[in-house]
Amino acid sequence: MKQEFMLYIRNEGDAKAAMTAAQHLEFVKKCEVYIKRLQEADQLIAAQPLLHSGWLLSKSKTGWKSTAIDPAKEIQVGYYHIRAYDLEEAIAIAKDNPEFEYVPSATIEVRPVKIKEEETGFEYPENE
């Protein structure tokens, strides 16, 4: 039975800024092929790039703190919500991501999705 995994894509700063327009278009087209291949194999639940702007929220005893995300540092630039039989297959899917071909600083965090709380039996809502 397939499990769900999240692939979190991270880059250092605006790693794609050095790409020419032609290189960026080539990268985007390879991502489209990658996404279509995952869809055809029924391995893709969702995928989305993220803008470099955003906020980091935290809470302390004295209140909320919001800090603008620094796009010059390592940031999350996108995600893939996938299905795979096990962690090894999820890692293999992540290794095929075009990000590695175009961005030397790229990293992809591969994480299993928790479906159910063992202590309470609560099942998290499924994606449709």
Side-chain angles (χ1 to χ4, degrees):
M1 184 165 117
K2 288 189 178 182
Q3 303 169 40
E4 293 182 18
F5 293 86
M6 293 298 297
L7 309 181
Y8 297 109
I9 302 160
R10 302 182 196 287
N11 291 166
E12 287 181 17
D14 192 0
K16 295 179 187 91
M19 287 184 185
T20 65
Q23 288 170 323
H24 190 265
L25 181 59
E26 182 179 301
F27 166 73
V28 170
K29 287 182 177 182
K30 284 192 178 181
C31 288
E32 290 172 4
V33 169
Y34 177 72
I35 288 169
K36 286 179 185 171
R37 188 172 65 239
L38 293 175
Q39 286 175 316
E40 289 169 359
D42 193 33
Q43 293 174 308
L44 186 67
I45 297 168
Q48 200 72 40
L50 299 173
L51 297 175
H52 290 201
S53 59
W55 294 89
L56 190 59
L57 301 176
S58 60
K59 186 176 180 187
S60 67
K61 292 180 183 179
T62 59
W64 289 98
K65 179 181 177 184
S66 58
T67 308
I69 290 174
D70 183 353
K73 295 183 177 179
E74 183 184 65
I75 60 171
Q76 185 176 342
V77 297
Y79 70 89
Y80 289 79
H81 187 177
I82 65 163
R83 290 182 194 93
Y85 286 107
D86 53 30
L87 181 60
E88 290 74 28
E89 183 181 25
I91 290 171
I93 290 169
K95 286 179 179 179
D96 282 342
N97 192 294
E99 200 78 25
F100 290 122
E101 183 180 347
Y102 289 86
V103 182
S105 68
T107 62
I108 298 180
E109 183 178 340
V110 179
R111 305 272 306 270
V113 174
K114 188 174 191 177
I115 306 291
K116 181 179 178 181
E117 290 294 336
E118 295 303 318
E119 297 86 0
T120 64
F122 176 79
E123 293 185 20
Y124 291 95
E126 291 185 34
N127 290 304
E128 296 179 14

